[in-house]
Amino acid sequence: MFGLVEHLDHVGFIECAKRVADLVGSTITEPEWQPLEPDGGDELSLPHRWQARRRPWPGSSTWRYLNGERWLPEPLLRAAIKGDHLREGPYGSMWAAHSDDVGVVTGWEARGPQYRGFASGGNKIFPSRAAYCVAPGRHRSRDRCHESRGHRGVA
């Protein structure tokens, strides 16, 4: 409904919200959402942000991206998920963990069909072989990832 009012009345979202509120007999008094403090005090720690995301599953957007577009075999994906190396990222992306010597997540590679990045505030530590294969870059070919897990190249 908001998009329709914005389009028909040629107004921005705030004005649109006021008009929709008038239509239903309500009044907007103040915004519910408040931005985070500049110091980021309300932000979760990296390990908590990691744990807050779901693990991929067959058919999820991450699974389809890695298996369908990146050609990673199902056994490799299952091993990476079992080892807690993968998470579902936003907008169809995936997260591949970087961990310290005791297994605490210190950051993650973020990849998707239209996105590439690294966790803000994170530290890159050389990832496990599974995560390295999940996020191959210019130094690691698809065929070498398959060979490292006992699979031969994909035609």
Side-chain angles (χ1 to χ4, degrees), residues 40-124:
D42 294 332
E43 192 170 315
L44 294 174
S45 68
L46 281 164
H48 286 106
R49 285 171 43 204
W50 177 262
Q51 291 300 325
R53 302 302 298 199
R54 290 183 67 178
R55 292 178 185 215
W57 63 94
S60 72
S61 58
T62 292
W63 188 281
R64 289 190 313 270
Y65 169 67
L66 293 173
N67 186 254
E69 293 186 36
R70 298 297 291 266
W71 293 84
L72 297 177
E74 186 174 316
L76 177 65
L77 293 177
R78 289 191 185 283
I81 293 165
K82 184 177 181 181
D84 203 27
H85 300 292
L86 288 176
R87 286 291 193 262
E88 290 280 320
Y91 310 111
S93 67
M94 68 91 198
W95 291 356
H98 285 248
S99 303
D100 63 15
D101 292 339
V102 294
V104 174
V105 174
T106 61
W108 50 85
E109 300 288 334
R111 299 283 188 275
Q114 303 295 321
Y115 179 76
R116 182 177 183 169
F118 192 79
S120 59
N123 293 313
K124 283 193 177 188

Side-chain angles (χ1 to χ4, degrees), residues 2-11:
F2 291 101
L4 181 61
V5 171
E6 283 179 305
H7 176 74
L8 293 175
D9 291 354
H10 304 286
V11 295

